[in-house]
Amino acid sequence: MALLPILRFPDPRLKKVAAPVAKIDDSIRRLVADMAETMYEAPGIGLAATQVDVHKRVVVIDISEEKNQLRAFVNPVIEQCVGAQLGEEGCLSVPGIYDKVERAEQVKVRYLDLDGKEQVLEADGLLAVCIQHEIDHLDGKVFVDHLSQLKQSRIKSKLAKQARVTA
Ligand code: GNR
Ligand code: NI
């Protein structure tokens, strides 16, 4: 297993659209293991392959308290959205920034598991938010893209300033 470096907004590589996985093999299972280790270490409740500069449609999520309910989604597609919820979001690629984003309250997602078997999951609440946030990453979007242009430019200055202090 390995910890992978996480890209930081506004890195242009976060805008790449990830390609579907053609075959689930050991390289994909290794990627999932490395992404899980990276997510737990961060710590975060989700991670998309895009964030570690791998442009394949792979996501890991664990919203459990005990951090013992890892979920892996390959080629996830949202088939149905119901309702709306407004929740505070953060992102490992946008450290220290939190803001409210409107998402569907419930989603039905179709994906492949690590055995290449098709699965369907109905999720609501935080899991639904996280699935939508991660699929956005695979489509080259970060949660700040849902905010106003003014907020986006403030976030960019704040992160640039942080980077100067940290350097
Ligand atoms: O760790 C994370 N927390 C979080 C909180 C609210 C809504 C979404 C998230 S996902 C985020 C990890 C991350 O950046 N995934 O891409
Ligand atoms: Ni994120």
Side-chain angles (χ1 to χ4, degrees), residues 38-151:
T38 304
M39 170 184 75
Y40 288 127
E41 198 269 343
I45 60 170
L47 191 70
T50 304
Q51 291 177 278
V52 293
D53 203 23
V54 175
H55 302 282
K56 295 179 182 167
R57 303 191 77 87
V58 175
V59 160
V60 294
I61 294 178
D62 188 343
I63 60 160
S64 70
E65 285 291 320
E66 305 78 20
K67 300 289 168 207
N68 60 0
Q69 286 172 49
L70 181 66
R71 298 169 185 270
F73 300 84
V74 176
N75 299 344
V77 175
I78 293 177
E79 294 207 316
Q80 199 185 351
C81 288
V82 181
Q85 58 178 323
L86 191 61
E88 186 107 313
E89 296 194 18
C91 180
L92 295 173
S93 296
V94 197
I97 307 287
Y98 303 88
D99 212 329
K100 290 196 166 153
V101 178
E102 189 180 304
R103 301 285 188 182
E105 163 57 25
Q106 249 179 279
V107 294
K108 183 171 162 188
V109 60
R110 188 180 293 270
Y111 63 98
L112 299 176
D113 68 19
L114 291 182
D115 299 318
K117 192 164 172 271
E118 191 162 72
Q119 301 282 350
V120 179
L121 174 71
E122 294 205 29
D124 59 13
L126 182 59
L127 182 57
V129 169
C130 202
I131 289 168
Q132 292 170 82
H133 176 117
E134 303 312 339
I135 292 176
D136 264 5
H137 278 302
L138 301 181
D139 291 328
K141 286 182 233 140
V142 291
F143 83 93
V144 301
D145 293 330
H146 292 272
L147 307 175
S148 68
Q149 287 299 327
L150 177 63
K151 281 187 174 179

